[in-house]
Amino acid sequence: MMLATARRVLDQLRHDHRSVALILVVPALLLTAVYFLFENETLPPGVPRTFDRVGLMMLAIFPFVVMFLVTSITMLRERTSGTLERLLTTPVHKADLLFGYGLAFSIMAALQSLVATGVAYWILGLDIQGSPGLVVMIAVINAVLGVALGLLCSAFARTEFQAVQFMPVVVVPQILLCGLFVARDRMNDVLEAVANVLPLTYSVDALQEIAANADPSDRLWMDAGVIAAIVLAVLVLASLTLRRRTA
């Protein structure tokens, strides 16, 4: 059931060229825009470029945001069109359905992360200590996190506009508090405590570990494990909140 759902969603995406372009192309274009923001900076010899720090973080943030939007809106469209309700009248379990959607969008997330990371390294010249493979791994996990949160939030929205309104509630605070703009140890105690429980924080920490170490560190594997556990928990929660009837 799960694989059949994943195949159906992928087949729908294959015929939706705009969604495919949004998933695969937009993060790479946004990353390129970030590169040109810092193109003319003048740095002393031996000082890392700002793009090497900020661009690396964007490899986690852009896929996360795009997959959250695409997944939440697509899932809501399935509900409002009646497709989801018809599927739930069959013996398919809600968990099979949600994990099928998660699998389909995770495949697209992996392709998206490969494209964005390839552009960052081979076109924009991203230069860090760690392996590109580890960067792709964290980017994929983070994009899947966006998928899982998008599926969960779609259960609480009745229109596509409401789905988009979850952005400032779910996505924006994580971007602000993940450590991209201000180090968490420089925040006040309340914001630091909130930041320490947000999943995007662990993604940024993992990428910083990759940037600083040529070999994978224990902290990196711990952060990746925490993100993966959150993804699984969110998917399970989304399956529990999925309604069998459309209001």
Side-chain angles (χ1 to χ4, degrees):
M1 292 294 186
M2 183 181 71
L3 294 177
T5 300
R7 283 195 298 268
R8 182 181 65 82
V9 174
L10 289 173
D11 187 61
Q12 289 178 340
L13 284 174
R14 184 169 59 87
H15 295 92
D16 188 352
H17 297 156
R18 291 183 180 180
S19 294
V20 172
L22 176 64
I23 293 172
L24 298 183
V25 178
V26 168
L29 291 178
L30 293 174
L31 193 66
T32 303
V34 172
Y35 170 81
F36 284 111
L37 283 176
F38 303 105
E39 182 186 24
N40 295 324
E41 68 175 347
T42 302
L43 298 171
V47 176
R49 298 181 305 170
T50 303
F51 174 75
D52 291 335
R53 179 182 66 85
V54 176
L56 180 65
M57 301 301 108
M58 293 299 105
L59 284 174
I61 292 173
F62 287 153
F64 171 74
V65 174
V66 170
M67 293 311 298
F68 176 87
L69 278 175
V70 171
T71 305
S72 58
I73 292 175
T74 301
M75 189 64 178
L76 186 63
R77 191 179 302 162
E78 293 273 85
R79 179 183 291 110
T80 56
S81 66
T83 301
L84 186 61
E85 189 168 336
R86 290 193 296 271
L87 286 172
L88 290 174
T89 60
T90 68
V92 62
H93 193 276
K94 290 191 292 183
D96 289 329
L97 190 63
L98 261 296
F99 277 86
Y101 279 98
L103 176 61
F105 284 109
S106 296
I107 292 172
M108 296 302 298
L111 294 175
Q112 176 195 70
S113 299
L114 285 170
V115 171
T117 306
V119 169
Y121 272 92
W122 292 297
I123 297 180
L124 306 179
L126 182 69
D127 184 20
I128 61 173
Q129 292 288 328
S131 165
L134 293 174
V135 175
V136 171
M137 179 190 73
I138 297 300
V140 170
I141 295 175
N142 216 52
V144 175
L145 173 65
V147 170
L149 289 174
L151 290 173
L152 176 61
C153 291
S154 69
F156 300 98
R158 295 190 177 183
T159 65
E160 293 182 6
F161 179 66
Q162 288 182 0
V164 173
Q165 286 179 317
F166 277 100
M167 277 280 294
V169 177
V170 177
V171 174
V172 174
Q174 296 196 62
I175 295 175
L176 294 177
L177 299 178
C178 68
L180 174 64
F181 300 105
V182 179
R184 295 200 311 281
D185 56 7
R186 293 170 54 192
M187 299 177 184
N188 66 49
D189 294 341
V190 175
L191 291 181
E192 184 179 2
V194 173
N196 288 337
V197 299
L198 296 177
L200 192 60
T201 298
Y202 294 95
S203 300
V204 170
D205 282 349
L207 289 173
Q208 289 174 341
E209 285 294 311
I210 296 172
N213 301 285
D215 298 318
S217 65
D218 293 338
R219 178 67 179 272
L220 166 63
W221 296 120
M222 185 191 74
D223 289 334
V226 170
I227 304 168
I230 292 174
V231 168
L232 182 60
V234 170
L235 285 175
V236 172
L237 183 59
S239 69
L240 295 176
T241 57
L242 183 65
R243 299 187 298 272
R244 282 193 171 271
R245 294 187 60 84
T246 303

